[in-house]
Amino acid sequence: MEKNTPRSIAAEVSIRELLGKILEKWYIIIATVLLFATSSAVYLNFFSTELYSSTAKLYIFNTEESKVQSTEFAISSYLVKDYSELITDHTVLQEVIDNLDLKFSCQALRGAISLNNPQGTRIIEVTAQVPDAVLSKKIADEVCKVAQGKIVDLMGVSRVNIISEGLVSKRPISPIKPKTVIGFATLGLFLSVTAVAIVYITSDKIYTENDIEEYLGLTVLSTIPYSNMNSVKKKTGAARRRKNGK
């Protein structure tokens, strides 16, 4: 007769029984969810840094062109990459730092700035992300202002316009606290349920008479009710002392 391994094979565990065991450990699951949610909330409120974003836009074109051909437009759009390199050059960034009296290094400021060129356009979007909403707008605007003159002087472009200044953001772009807390709470739920399920599936303990018959292939003839022997001994001793008058 083939002998089954107690709960070591997941296929032998019924879904209903597994769910029942998971529900029995509801207090562990809830405690884990609360721990993850609380820990993430504490970290976000006291240790994380909120970042605010602001975007200004430059438009680069040549006023001497009477008619823009498709090939010329493609070349001009390709050159936007060169302009982007110039915008993040240390000469531009250092001037921005000096003008705004920033406590940034050129490397730190470069890391706080991102550039984007919408496909098929001569527009360059300059985005600044720093922990201060007002400062992020000032940096984005000043980068565009300084780059405006540098591109004209160094790249031989006829004209560069600032078509849109940055806005003061009312909300941080990161971290998004409600979503983050919910995400960590969900992670806690998943990990706790998974842990309870794994512990139960890999357990070799016998819980009920049905477990004996199902996993060991034996028939239960009778059962002995569980009793706390220490408690029984104490009660018996107390009864004897009362009887003896002690």
Side-chain angles (χ1 to χ4, degrees):
M1 182 178 64
E2 184 180 355
K3 185 176 180 181
N4 296 325
T5 303
R7 294 189 182 85
S8 60
I9 303 177
E12 296 183 359
V13 181
S14 68
I15 299 299
R16 179 181 299 179
E17 187 178 357
L18 178 60
L19 291 177
K21 293 300 179 182
I22 291 175
L23 291 177
E24 285 182 6
K25 303 297 182 180
W26 62 268
Y27 53 92
I28 296 178
I29 296 173
I30 292 179
T32 305
V33 170
L34 291 177
L35 176 63
F36 273 66
T38 303
S39 299
S40 63
V42 171
Y43 175 79
L44 291 173
N45 286 321
F46 298 101
F47 300 100
S48 67
T49 301
E50 294 181 335
L51 292 179
Y52 293 84
S53 176
S54 184
T55 302
K57 298 180 181 180
L58 288 172
Y59 182 74
I60 303 172
F61 64 101
N62 198 329
T63 55
E64 295 179 357
E65 294 179 352
S66 57
K67 185 177 181 181
V68 179
Q69 302 294 331
S70 60
T71 55
E72 294 173 342
F73 185 81
I75 294 173
S76 297
S77 298
Y78 179 78
L79 289 176
V80 170
K81 296 181 180 179
D82 295 336
Y83 305 146
S84 299
E85 288 295 325
L86 177 60
I87 292 172
T88 56
D89 187 74
H90 72 277
T91 56
V92 174
L93 299 180
Q94 188 59 53
E95 188 170 338
V96 172
I97 292 173
D98 295 338
N99 294 344
L100 297 179
D101 192 24
L102 300 176
K103 305 301 180 182
F104 289 88
S105 64
C106 286
Q107 184 176 0
L109 182 58
R110 185 180 292 110
I113 295 174
S114 61
L115 304 178
N116 180 50
N117 170 224
Q119 187 175 4
T121 72
R122 301 180 190 179
I123 296 174
I124 297 179
E125 298 175 343
V126 180
T127 300
Q129 296 180 1
V130 293
D132 186 286
V134 176
L135 184 59
S136 66
K137 168 185 166 50
K138 290 182 178 180
I139 291 176
D141 292 345
E142 191 64 24
V143 169
C144 287
K145 182 180 177 181
V146 174
Q148 183 181 27
K150 295 290 185 182
I151 292 174
V152 172
D153 294 339
L154 301 177
M155 305 294 288
V157 177
S158 298
R159 190 174 177 183
V160 177
N161 282 355
I162 299 176
I163 61 175
S164 176
E165 293 186 346
L167 299 176
V168 177
S169 178
K170 296 181 179 179
R171 295 181 180 179
I173 59 169
S174 68
I176 303 176
K177 294 182 180 180
K179 289 184 178 180
T180 303
V181 172
I182 292 174
F184 272 90
T186 303
L187 177 62
L189 175 64
F190 171 77
L191 292 178
S192 59
V193 170
T194 301
V196 171
I198 291 175
V199 169
Y200 173 69
I201 291 173
T202 58
S203 173
D204 59 356
K205 292 182 179 180
I206 299 297
Y207 294 94
T208 65
E209 297 91 338
N210 293 332
D211 290 346
I212 297 176
E213 296 177 356
E214 181 177 356
Y215 299 112
L216 300 180
L218 302 176
T219 302
V220 178
L221 300 178
S222 63
T223 61
I224 300 175
Y226 170 79
S227 63
N228 190 325
M229 297 306 296
N230 291 331
S231 177
V232 171
K233 290 179 180 179
K234 289 181 180 179
K235 291 180 179 178
T236 303
R240 288 177 179 176
R241 285 193 296 271
R242 288 196 299 269
K243 183 177 180 181
N244 298 329
K246 296 182 180 180

